[in-house]
Amino acid sequence: MAYAFQSPSVTLEKGAYRMRAPYSTRPGSSLNQSQMSAKRAPSHSQNRKLAILIAVLAFASVTCFFFAYHLFTTRFAPYAQPHPHPSDALPKAKPPASDTKYLSYYPHSGLHNQRIALENAIVLAQQLNRTLLVPFLRLGKPIRYVSFDKLQRFLVLGSKTGLEHCPLVPAGIPAPDECSGYEEWTSIPWDYLVNLYAIGEKIGVKMIQWDGSPVAQYMKKSHINIFEADTLTLQDSGPYDFRFLDTLDDVSPTRDKYLYSIYIPKLVQAPERLLQIGTLFGSSRLRLRQGVSKNVRRDVRTGMAFTNPHLSLVADTIYEALGAVYIGAHLRVGDGQFEQRSTDNARTIWWKLVHLVCGLDIEDTLELEQQLSPFDEDLDPPLIQPDVPSLRVPHPPLPPLPHTFKPKIRCRAPLHTSPPLQRLNAPLYIATDSPNPVADPLFSIYLQTFPCIFFLSDFRSRLTPLDALINPYDQVSLKGFLMPVLDAMVLARAREVVVTDGSTFGAFVKDVLWRRHWGFEIVQRG
């Protein structure tokens, strides 16, 4: 039987060529059913191969991503110097008991605002019998106060977790975008500056320090095994929402700036293991009426004097260079209300130095001011308000200033020879936030009045030991961030000090550091 074969035909369909197989005239030439099924449906082995291929590709993609991330974060490693891991620098603590209760709060603002919050937190932890979780001290660019939720986010997002490669960028190579602002701030444990252990031992409070980063926060909660259901949160929406009172029958004044009163005797009964508070800043945040509570606060504030050995050594060398006998002043002029009131504050502090400290009478002081002042109008003496809290804690009289002084550093101008003005030859050390006080018009009358006037910038050669201070947590140089602390320590060693009213820096120097230096009882405000 002869079979007929046909050639393939070509047809045109909608502008596209299409090949069409020839029709077969051979009997039984069509494929059987099993062959057709095998052609239409893929086999199970093909599915398995496809799944394996997808899994391999996914694994390879993830591996490549992590390898690339590792290369990115360690691209500057060949230039790095070995440094301790942050966890190695933290003091090791024993695992807490399962029934331990804790107190935590969120820090913000500058150094002394954070210090006041820490003081309040330690006192509150003692009153509530809770272990205090102490966040690191942030130095440099501050985080301003915002409401609870926002502050929590700022603290988490503002950490340096994931930026470990930033300090490894060699000099001369542009830093990556994520490293912008890396050296504008740093954070250190509080016991770098103060003896927290001694404070805790004296008043019976346990403290755990943590750096506030997201990882540390997670480890903190998992380490003490506390979760949201076992947390009592006092969520503030403003800086003065909550005030804490130690006496049940006490009430805050009707015109008080705090909105809500929290009674400590009731709060101590809270069963939650973690008490989470937002801000604790404010020298009057704790309204204490019981003598025992006031003594605890006194012991805490007394213990907050700076004890860093590197700073103490440099402060001592500056103290010796000034002749060991000098007077001191603090003049804050750089921000907010202090900038607005800088002229009045500068005049008031000058009057206190000349009239109250150096002992010129009112007529001589007024005449001297009129001679040195750039203004032509006649001025009345400024109104000097008494410092009532200081008067409540009197101290023994200080020895009088000597008639002659012997600083080991050269004075700026010739000494006064007129007998009434010779007392103004006393070396004057001024702590200030003015970037260039010698060129600042506010300091002109000081420079004309006190021939032996000095600022921290006059002792650059004595600051070189601080060049070696590197923060092991982020490899940032600490020297620049510690200058305000050193400024306060030098000022506190003066024979007498005059400070800017309303400044937390000035109040701490006058109420705590200066009195601690002379062995006097500190002043408690609030």
Side-chain angles (χ1 to χ4, degrees):
M1 182 176 179
Y3 298 100
F5 295 91
Q6 296 180 350
S7 300
S9 61
V10 180
T11 61
L12 183 65
E13 296 183 6
K14 295 184 180 181
Y17 290 101
R18 180 178 179 182
M19 293 290 293
R20 179 176 294 164
Y23 295 101
S24 173
T25 57
R26 177 180 176 181
S29 62
S30 61
L31 297 175
N32 59 38
Q33 186 67 29
S34 62
Q35 290 173 319
M36 292 294 293
S37 299
K39 188 173 183 179
R40 283 194 298 264
S43 65
H44 291 293
S45 62
Q46 289 177 323
N47 287 337
R48 285 195 298 271
K49 291 179 181 179
L50 182 60
I52 293 173
L53 178 61
I54 293 175
V56 170
L57 291 175
F59 176 77
S61 299
V62 173
T63 303
C64 290
F65 171 79
F66 282 106
F67 184 69
Y69 179 78
H70 172 74
L71 292 177
F72 173 77
T73 56
T74 60
R75 63 195 185 279
F76 303 114
Y79 304 95
Q81 297 295 327
H83 59 276
H85 190 271
S87 61
D88 297 333
L90 278 174
K92 302 298 185 294
K94 295 180 180 180
S98 58
D99 59 345
T100 302
K101 290 184 176 181
Y102 299 88
L103 170 64
S104 179
Y105 70 98
Y106 292 146
H108 61 84
S109 304
L111 185 157
H112 290 284
N113 288 5
Q114 294 177 69
R115 174 189 52 77
I116 293 172
L118 175 58
E119 292 175 1
N120 290 336
I122 296 175
V123 175
L124 197 56
Q126 192 275 341
Q127 298 281 291
L128 298 174
N129 193 26
R130 288 176 176 265
T131 295
L132 179 62
L133 303 177
V134 182
F136 276 21
L137 167 64
R138 181 181 175 114
L139 298 172
K141 187 177 183 180
I143 293 180
R144 63 181 179 87
Y145 172 79
V146 287
S147 60
F148 184 93
D149 290 335
K150 292 181 180 179
L151 184 57
Q152 185 181 46
R153 288 196 297 270
F154 282 5
L155 292 171
V156 171
L157 297 176
S159 75
K160 292 185 177 180
T161 300
L163 301 178
E164 291 79 6
H165 58 284
C166 291
L168 309 181
V169 180
I173 296 180
D177 292 341
E178 70 272 14
C179 297
S180 176
Y182 184 85
E183 295 188 350
E184 291 181 356
W185 67 275
T186 190
S187 58
I188 56 177
W190 266 103
D191 61 5
Y192 186 84
L193 293 181
V194 301
N195 192 343
L196 282 186
Y197 177 79
I199 297 175
E201 286 290 304
K202 188 172 183 63
I203 67 171
V205 170
K206 294 181 179 179
M207 289 175 263
I208 299 175
Q209 298 184 84
W210 62 291
D211 65 0
S213 66
V215 175
Q217 186 176 25
Y218 171 80
M219 293 302 294
K220 173 198 67 170
K221 288 195 173 184
S222 63
H223 178 60
I224 61 180
N225 197 26
I226 290 181
F227 303 97
E228 295 299 328
D230 204 15
T231 300
L232 173 61
T233 302
L234 296 182
Q235 187 168 336
D236 52 63
S237 58
Y240 301 108
D241 276 9
F242 303 113
R243 192 182 205 186
F244 300 88
L245 295 79
D246 69 342
T247 307
L248 289 175
D249 58 0
D250 186 26
V251 293
S252 293
T254 55
R255 295 184 179 181
D256 195 83
K257 59 185 175 182
Y258 294 95
L259 300 179
Y260 309 104
S261 294
I262 306 293
Y263 288 91
I264 296 175
K266 292 183 178 180
L267 189 60
V268 74
Q269 301 174 10
E272 290 84 358
R273 291 190 59 211
L274 175 61
L275 172 58
Q276 178 64 63
I277 302 177
T279 179
L280 277 177
F281 163 71
S283 57
S284 59
R285 175 79 56 177
L286 306 184
R287 183 177 170 88
L288 305 180
R289 291 297 175 263
Q290 298 184 21
V292 175
S293 302
K294 292 182 179 180
N295 291 340
V296 169
R297 182 173 62 184
R298 178 201 61 204
D299 292 340
V300 171
R301 290 185 176 175
T302 301
M304 293 299 290
F306 299 132
T307 58
N308 182 277
H310 305 287
L311 296 176
S312 297
L313 180 61
V314 174
D316 287 340
T317 61
I318 296 176
Y319 169 82
E320 294 295 335
L322 288 169
V325 178
Y326 57 96
I327 59 178
H330 165 244
L331 186 51
R332 182 174 176 180
V333 299
D335 59 340
Q337 61 171 328
F338 300 102
E339 184 178 11
Q340 297 174 3
R341 296 163 47 192
S342 59
T343 301
D344 291 338
N345 286 338
R347 182 173 186 247
T348 300
I349 292 173
W350 181 89
W351 261 86
K352 288 181 178 180
L353 287 170
V354 175
H355 174 53
L356 300 181
V357 175
C358 294
L360 273 70
D361 58 32
I362 293 180
E363 290 74 15
D364 289 341
T365 305
L366 189 59
E367 181 182 354
L368 180 63
E369 181 186 33
Q370 291 173 347
Q371 292 175 1
L372 303 178
S373 175
F375 305 105
D376 295 332
E377 69 270 16
D378 293 335
L379 299 173
D380 294 325
L383 179 61
I384 299 177
Q385 299 286 355
D387 186 1
V388 177
S390 293
L391 295 176
R392 291 173 181 163
V393 191
H395 59 76
L398 292 167
L401 290 171
H403 295 290
T404 59
F405 304 89
K406 299 179 180 179
K408 298 178 181 178
I409 184 172
R410 185 177 180 181
C411 295
R412 275 189 159 81
L415 301 181
H416 294 290
T417 57
S418 173
L421 301 181
Q422 286 181 356
R423 285 169 285 185
L424 301 177
N425 292 331
L428 170 63
Y429 180 85
I430 293 188
T432 180
D433 58 350
S434 175
N436 188 8
V438 175
D440 192 328
L442 288 172
F443 293 85
S444 174
I445 192 170
Y446 290 86
L447 293 165
Q448 297 178 74
T449 304
F450 299 95
C452 298
I453 182 174
F454 301 101
F455 307 92
L456 187 59
S457 57
D458 294 317
F459 302 93
R460 298 186 188 278
S461 62
R462 290 172 172 83
L463 306 181
T464 52
L466 304 181
D467 293 339
L469 299 183
I470 304 296
N471 189 347
Y473 296 91
D474 57 10
Q475 294 301 291
V476 171
S477 173
L478 289 173
K479 180 179 180 180
F481 299 107
L482 295 176
M483 289 300 98
V485 179
L486 179 62
D487 223 6
M489 296 174 72
V490 176
L491 181 60
R493 286 161 165 76
R495 176 64 61 87
E496 293 194 45
V497 294
V498 177
V499 300
T500 304
D501 291 337
S503 166
T504 54
F505 176 101
F508 183 59
V509 171
K510 185 177 180 181
D511 294 348
V512 179
L513 297 184
W514 181 79
R515 285 180 171 252
R516 279 288 308 272
H517 175 75
W518 287 98
F520 302 147
E521 183 181 352
I522 71 164
V523 175
Q524 297 193 64
R525 299 181 189 267

